[in-house]
Amino acid sequence: MRSIRWDEESRKLMIINQLALPAELRCLEVGSYTDIMEALESRAVDGASALAVCGAFALYFAASEAEMREPTALRESVCAAREQLMRLLPNAVNLRALTAGILRRAQTFEGGAQELPAFYLQQALAAAEQDLEASLSIARNGAELLHDGDEILLYGNTGALAGVDYGTAMGVVRWAYEQGKRVHVYMAETRPRLQGSKLSAWELEQYGIPYDVIVDAAAGYLLKAGKVDKVLFGAQRVAANGDVINHIGTYMLALAAYDNGVPAYAAFPLACVDFDSPSAGHASLEESDPSEVLSIRYYDSATAPKSSRARNFTLDITSQRLLSGLITDRGVLYPPFFRNLTVLKQYGRDE
Amino acid sequence: MRSIRWDEESRKLMIINQLALPAELRCLEVGSYTDIMEALESRAVDGASALAVCGAFALYFAASEAEMREPTALRESVCAAREQLMRLLPNAVNLRALTAGILRRAQTFEGGAQELPAFYLQQALAAAEQDLEASLSIARNGAELLHDGDEILLYGNTGALAGVDYGTAMGVVRWAYEQGKRVHVYMAETRPRLQGSKLSAWELEQYGIPYDVIVDAAAGYLLKAGKVDKVLFGAQRVAANGDVINHIGTYMLALAAYDNGVPAYAAFPLACVDFDSPSAGHASLEESDPSEVLSIRYYDSATAPKSSRARNFTLDITSQRLLSGLITDRGVLYPPFFRNLTVLKQYGRDE
């Protein structure tokens, strides 16, 4: 199973439609720039790595649809497409880095306008391949931390659906399970969009990993009761000191783990680290559509009075002091995170 | 508006049906012991004080339906009814205390079996009156802590619906608002049963108090961002040292408040204090029907794969060290809670 797969024959990108899960496994067939922007906007695809890879394909579609006969004009048209992407997803730092790298390389591409689309496609395919490799490295590196019999608390959408395959935090658990370690997962439902119960629980079912869904607010109880050995989550963006910007609720979860001496790990590819931000203290965070809080989305079930107002905070910041380690594609890092992340960075980073 | 009201003419207890809210304001007409047990079991009524008052009426219904001609036999039949109640609600400590007091006073009641039902009814009516008085005292005492312009984070079902009227934590906010203090409430939805968005948001609408619903996991973000001045919640049971057993999620919320220096208060009648428990460290806590986690109850909307398993932890323990104060009907208490609760206890407690 690949969540995002290029079909050479139809020249379409096949994306598992997250909106149809868990009821149905259905693919979106994405054949144009409009299609992919719709998929991103509707959140049919979500997860930092999945968004980045789709963004790379968005550049390809933009290039293939541009009618410019001149390479510079075509490149400018792809640039405009990228700006539209970044307006839609301002916090997607690896999408930003990945697409910036592609544009940079396109600058030095020496072919004509007719050959540029194929160049962008090759870049997007390479990005997908690199994402899969990073996920597999995260999974292998993190699986070392898990022991036979571990009770693991997972948060958010961090499996295959969050990238091309394997993902981040859930990939770690999946690798450990495939190694024969008997683990059990407490899967937090992850309100408001319920990625935990709708997507991650569905994935855990596919892999045969035993799990129980819990409400997000139950994590503290489980941690305090000594029922959890490790807490794992992903990261949408990481500051240079290890502060993690991730799905709303990550901070409370990491804090409760810390308060009970249970190790908490963020798992992410090094590409998620924003080395220009020394800490995440003053990050400006997105707010999403309030209707997600007032209903169980895609089921049209109101959960509050019709006239009721809501705020839908999307992300929060988890201070690095609450984290035991960072599981990356370049190895597991321990404090001091600033020094250790910087060292990794200096030892090279693909782009 | 009274959530629980005895109608003398029909000899029925009128209870606002919490299962019908927020869509509809509907009353259950409870005319028998079976009726009231059904109301409790279906959770049409919930909230520590509301349960206690209903429990007192349950004893009356049991007495009025018993066909014993002999006071001792009738009292034993009422005792059996109470045991059934306590099996249904093992953690309802004020229900336990309230009904124990009624049974004790029934022991010394000198009338015949025919007069006993009227005695139990009078006891239940007095319990409802005392609950309302306690709620008003909590509201008045707590309102002193709130200032004009305060941003308040509320959790759970702590308003009129949780008792006879006013309730606990929301009663405090309501009183402050009625005093003319301009407050705004962030209302946590309170999964899994969504009492926050279904019941409390509905109540806030009735009172005209401005509010926004948030998902429970967003509380940490708001606290860290400095957007909250006070955190308020209720208590189902309180240990002698001030440890609070309350709706699942209270612990994570209080911890996040503490981590950000925002005062957190538990509001409850002194009758909720279990002076026999020095702390809540080893309390055994209920687990509820897992289907509540896997669906948005009463809307029949699955939120997870059909075959998925869940655990539904109902309550958690909030260590007294995380609390700034306890708002009770006898005044606001500050640390050291053990000493200050004990002093209050020694200065008399109705029963």
Side-chain angles (χ1 to χ4, degrees):
Chain A
M1 185 182 79
R2 291 277 175 99
S3 308
I4 303 172
R5 186 175 57 81
W6 174 251
D7 185 63
E8 187 54 39
E9 200 178 332
S10 65
R11 310 287 289 173
K12 283 186 173 167
L13 190 65
M14 314 303 267
I15 304 176
I16 293 184
N17 185 348
Q18 297 182 7
L19 303 183
L21 288 173
E24 241 185 297
L25 176 58
R26 216 158 52 194
C27 266
L28 284 177
E29 303 187 9
V30 168
S32 69
Y33 181 71
T34 310
D35 281 1
I36 202 156
M37 290 303 281
E38 265 180 30
L40 295 172
E41 208 159 349
S42 69
R43 304 265 184 164
V45 58
D46 206 358
S49 297
L51 293 175
V53 170
C54 285
F57 280 98
L59 299 191
Y60 155 67
F61 285 119
S64 69
E65 290 165 26
E67 290 175 11
M68 282 73 182
R69 300 291 170 93
E70 204 272 304
T72 309
L74 194 148
R75 279 194 287 257
E76 272 166 20
S77 148
V78 172
C79 265
R82 178 181 180 256
E83 273 160 31
Q84 203 182 342
L85 261 178
M86 293 317 306
R87 273 195 300 277
L88 182 65
L89 300 160
N91 271 292
V93 68
N94 47 353
L95 179 141
R96 181 183 300 276
L98 176 67
T99 52
I102 294 175
L103 293 190
R104 206 160 47 240
R105 288 188 289 277
Q107 288 296 335
T108 56
F109 178 74
E110 291 182 347
Q114 275 181 317
E115 292 139 22
L116 260 172
F119 167 81
Y120 285 109
L121 178 59
Q122 172 261 315
Q123 291 287 315
L125 290 169
E129 208 44 50
Q130 276 162 27
D131 180 68
L132 178 58
E133 277 168 32
S135 283
L136 290 172
S137 298
I138 290 168
R140 273 191 297 260
N141 294 336
E144 297 300 308
L145 300 169
L146 304 190
H147 302 303
D148 193 44
D150 268 358
E151 292 282 346
I152 295 152
L153 204 158
L154 271 181
Y155 196 67
N157 170 23
T158 64
L161 293 166
V164 171
D165 200 353
Y166 273 88
T168 57
M170 193 193 288
V172 169
V173 179
R174 185 176 159 193
W175 197 273
Y177 185 75
E178 286 168 358
Q179 284 182 317
K181 292 174 184 166
R182 283 158 300 179
V183 294
H184 171 267
V185 171
Y186 284 110
M187 188 64 240
E189 63 173 6
T190 320
R191 278 284 282 154
R193 299 203 301 116
L194 297 169
Q195 291 100 326
S197 50
K198 285 186 180 173
L199 306 179
S200 300
W202 178 83
E203 277 197 45
L204 290 164
E205 293 258 336
Q206 310 308 305
Y207 312 140
I209 301 173
Y211 71 94
D212 286 294
V213 177
I214 55 164
V215 298
D216 304 328
Y221 167 76
L222 286 170
L223 287 160
K224 199 166 181 172
K227 290 177 194 287
V228 176
D229 298 301
K230 270 117 196 173
V231 173
L232 267 78
F233 41 80
Q236 189 173 117
R237 177 151 56 116
V238 179
N241 72 340
D243 284 355
V244 165
I245 297 181
N246 192 39
H247 192 286
I248 193 88
T250 306
Y251 160 57
M252 288 177 91
L253 175 58
L255 180 65
Y258 183 82
D259 194 46
N260 292 286
V262 176
Y265 300 94
F268 53 87
L270 207 62
C272 280
V273 182
D274 178 4
F275 283 102
D276 295 334
S277 300
S279 81
H282 298 284
S284 84
L285 304 179
E286 301 162 39
E287 215 173 313
S288 299
D289 182 355
S291 71
E292 293 181 349
V293 176
L294 298 174
S295 64
I296 299 302
R297 212 182 177 187
Y298 321 123
Y299 287 99
D300 196 26
S301 295
T303 61
K306 280 213 177 73
S307 49
S308 138
R309 290 180 45 193
R311 299 288 295 275
N312 189 3
F313 305 100
T314 307
L315 301 167
D316 67 17
I317 298 168
T318 300
S319 165
Q320 51 79 26
R321 82 185 151 88
L322 303 174
L323 302 174
S324 308
L326 307 177
I327 304 171
T328 81
D329 46 334
R330 303 291 180 85
V332 179
L333 299 184
Y334 296 95
F337 294 127
F338 185 81
R339 196 190 64 192
N340 294 337
L341 276 169
T342 309
V343 167
L344 264 201
K345 183 195 174 196
Q346 284 162 352
Y347 279 90
R349 181 177 170 187
D350 307 333
E351 225 161 54
Chain B
M1 185 183 80
R2 290 279 175 96
S3 308
I4 303 172
R5 186 176 57 79
W6 174 249
D7 184 66
E8 187 54 40
E9 203 179 328
S10 64
R11 309 289 289 174
K12 282 184 173 168
L13 191 65
M14 314 303 268
I15 304 176
I16 292 183
N17 185 348
Q18 297 182 8
L19 303 184
L21 288 173
E24 242 185 298
L25 176 58
R26 215 157 55 193
C27 265
L28 284 176
E29 304 187 8
V30 168
S32 69
Y33 180 72
T34 310
D35 282 0
I36 200 155
M37 290 302 282
E38 264 179 31
L40 294 172
E41 208 158 349
S42 70
R43 302 268 183 162
V45 58
D46 207 356
S49 296
L51 293 174
V53 170
C54 285
F57 280 97
L59 300 191
Y60 154 68
F61 285 119
S64 70
E65 289 164 25
E67 289 175 10
M68 282 75 181
R69 301 292 170 89
E70 205 270 307
T72 309
L74 193 148
R75 279 193 289 257
E76 273 166 19
S77 148
V78 173
C79 268
R82 178 183 178 256
E83 274 161 32
Q84 203 181 342
L85 262 179
M86 293 315 309
R87 271 195 301 276
L88 182 64
L89 301 159
N91 272 293
V93 68
N94 47 354
L95 179 142
R96 183 183 297 276
L98 176 67
T99 52
I102 294 175
L103 293 189
R104 205 159 48 241
R105 288 187 290 278
Q107 287 295 336
T108 55
F109 178 75
E110 291 183 344
Q114 275 180 315
E115 292 140 20
L116 260 172
F119 167 82
Y120 284 109
L121 177 58
Q122 171 262 315
Q123 291 287 316
L125 291 168
E129 207 46 48
Q130 276 162 27
D131 179 67
L132 178 57
E133 277 169 30
S135 283
L136 290 172
S137 299
I138 290 168
R140 272 191 298 260
N141 294 336
E144 298 299 310
L145 300 169
L146 304 190
H147 302 303
D148 194 42
D150 267 358
E151 292 281 346
I152 296 153
L153 204 158
L154 271 180
Y155 196 68
N157 170 23
T158 65
L161 293 165
V164 171
D165 200 353
Y166 274 87
T168 58
M170 192 193 289
V172 168
V173 178
R174 184 175 160 193
W175 196 272
Y177 185 75
E178 287 168 357
Q179 282 182 318
K181 291 175 186 166
R182 283 158 300 178
V183 294
H184 171 266
V185 171
Y186 284 110
M187 187 66 238
E189 64 174 5
T190 319
R191 278 284 282 155
R193 298 204 298 116
L194 296 170
Q195 292 100 327
S197 50
K198 286 186 179 174
L199 307 180
S200 300
W202 178 83
E203 278 197 45
L204 289 164
E205 294 258 336
Q206 311 307 305
Y207 312 141
I209 301 173
Y211 71 95
D212 286 295
V213 176
I214 56 165
V215 297
D216 303 330
Y221 167 75
L222 286 171
L223 287 158
K224 199 163 180 175
K227 292 178 192 286
V228 176
D229 298 299
K230 272 118 195 171
V231 172
L232 267 77
F233 41 80
Q236 189 173 119
R237 180 152 53 118
V238 179
N241 71 340
D243 283 354
V244 165
I245 296 179
N246 193 39
H247 192 286
I248 192 87
T250 306
Y251 159 58
M252 288 177 92
L253 175 57
L255 181 63
Y258 183 82
D259 193 46
N260 291 285
V262 176
Y265 299 94
F268 52 86
L270 206 63
C272 280
V273 181
D274 178 4
F275 284 100
D276 296 334
S277 300
S279 82
H282 298 285
S284 82
L285 304 179
E286 300 161 39
E287 215 174 311
S288 299
D289 181 353
S291 71
E292 293 181 349
V293 176
L294 297 174
S295 64
I296 300 301
R297 212 181 178 190
Y298 320 126
Y299 288 95
D300 196 25
S301 296
T303 61
K306 280 214 177 74
S307 50
S308 138
R309 290 181 46 194
R311 300 287 296 274
N312 189 2
F313 305 100
T314 309
L315 301 168
D316 67 17
I317 298 168
T318 301
S319 165
Q320 51 81 29
R321 85 186 149 87
L322 302 174
L323 302 174
S324 307
L326 307 176
I327 304 171
T328 80
D329 47 333
R330 303 293 181 81
V332 179
L333 299 184
Y334 295 96
F337 295 129
F338 184 82
R339 195 189 67 193
N340 294 337
L341 277 169
T342 309
V343 167
L344 263 201
K345 182 194 174 197
Q346 283 161 353
Y347 281 91
R349 180 177 169 187
D350 308 335
E351 227 161 55

